[in-house]
Amino acid sequence: GENVEQHPSTLSVQEGDSAVIKCTYSDSASNYFPWYKQELGKRPQLIIDIRSNVGEKKDQRIAVTLNKTAKHFSLHITETQPEDSAVYFCAARGRGSTLGRLYFGRGTQLTVWP
Amino acid sequence: DGGITQSPKYLFRKEGQNVTLSCEQNLNHDAMYWYRQDPGQGLRLIYYSQIVNDFQKGDIAEGYSVSREKKESFPLTVTSAQKNPTAFYLCASSRKTATNEKLFFGSGTQLSVL
């Protein structure tokens, strides 16, 4: 099956700075890479995703980049705000894996200090 | 968010006892999933189901059982064979599994051992 590694496990930044979270995957057949955000005490929610036919996708202050050759993808948050503080999970879905299930990374606890 | 409901919010299990976690969705989604969340472990898949009366084991199915008798319901039973059941359990649903469909999560159940 797929193996998704996520780094760092914790990240602290000052408000207004940028934050970058990186993930690697093992299955070259994976073709879909979503990012979920889980605020404290709340359920995870999809914030952005990217498909293997695209190298970069932006949505306001967040962007995701994908390097298929190196099998890694990253989440970039610019102009961070305290409300960006949460746990972020990356995931990968393999085209070849059974029934296209998602494999999640272990999560990154992002803290944005005012 | 409001389309998938988990109950109870908190659950306590005694030694040797089976307990059942409820998950109901009114989104008319075909696929449903159970994840276990432990600190620093990310989201680990226990079981998932694509269609009524069918389900597959995830990565950590030992000590758990599920049923899918109705499209809207996917209860998870934590059996006495699960020796370390204390965790936060998340149910999720999506329209399909083998496509790039986003997951909708429930609000979770915190299970603790007495």
Side-chain angles (χ1 to χ4, degrees):
Chain A
E2 173 68 277
N3 181 43
V4 178
E5 300 281 344
Q6 182 172 349
H7 300 280
S9 57
T10 61
L11 180 60
S12 292
V13 299
Q14 203 74 32
E15 182 177 1
D17 289 349
S18 296
V20 180
I21 303 170
K22 298 182 180 181
C23 289
T24 61
Y25 60 98
S26 60
D27 185 357
S28 57
S30 289
N31 63 351
Y32 173 65
F33 308 92
W35 287 87
Y36 284 80
K37 174 185 179 181
Q38 185 179 26
E39 296 177 47
L40 187 63
K42 296 190 176 180
R43 67 194 78 189
Q45 291 191 311
L46 178 71
I47 55 170
I48 196 167
D49 57 14
I50 191 167
R51 289 158 176 75
S52 59
N53 59 345
V54 176
E56 184 176 4
K57 183 177 179 180
K58 289 183 179 180
D59 183 3
Q60 299 183 335
R61 295 185 299 106
I62 60 173
V64 57
T65 58
L66 171 64
N67 183 326
K68 288 189 293 183
T69 302
K71 289 189 285 187
H72 70 71
F73 56 111
S74 300
L75 179 71
H76 304 255
I77 306 174
T78 59
E79 300 172 23
T80 54
Q81 301 168 3
E83 51 265 39
D84 294 328
S85 297
V87 178
Y88 291 80
F89 295 100
C90 64
R93 172 171 283 151
R95 182 167 40 204
S97 61
T98 304
L99 301 174
R101 53 157 289 190
L102 281 176
Y103 292 83
F104 283 90
R106 294 193 170 197
T108 296
Q109 173 67 63
L110 172 65
T111 303
V112 180
W113 300 100
Chain B
D1 283 2
I4 182 164
T5 304
Q6 287 185 244
S7 62
K9 190 171 183 178
Y10 300 98
L11 187 58
F12 297 91
R13 195 191 87 167
K14 294 180 182 179
E15 199 75 31
Q17 187 181 44
N18 293 353
V19 292
T20 298
L21 285 61
S22 171
C23 179
E24 304 275 333
Q25 53 98 0
N26 62 3
L27 300 167
N28 198 33
H29 284 172
D30 292 309
M32 297 187 74
Y33 312 77
W34 275 105
Y35 289 91
R36 172 174 169 148
Q37 186 173 20
D38 297 279
Q41 295 290 323
L43 300 171
R44 294 186 291 169
L45 184 64
I46 306 172
Y47 269 99
Y48 61 111
S49 168
Q50 287 192 104
I51 197 168
V52 174
N53 293 323
D54 185 57
F55 48 83
Q56 290 79 39
K57 293 183 180 180
D59 301 318
I60 55 167
E62 186 174 351
Y64 300 96
S65 66
V66 293
S67 63
R68 187 87 186 275
E69 297 177 1
K70 298 186 296 182
K71 186 176 185 178
E72 58 269 23
S73 178
F74 192 40
L76 173 74
T77 296
V78 184
T79 74
S80 57
Q82 173 49 247
K83 298 306 180 187
N84 185 24
T86 297
F88 189 60
Y89 291 85
L90 282 163
C91 179
S93 70
S94 67
R95 286 195 294 177
K96 295 177 184 179
T97 50
T99 61
N100 301 332
E101 297 283 350
K102 79 172 188 179
L103 297 181
F104 290 79
F105 285 89
S107 56
T109 293
Q110 175 65 51
L111 175 62
S112 302
V113 177
L114 290 177

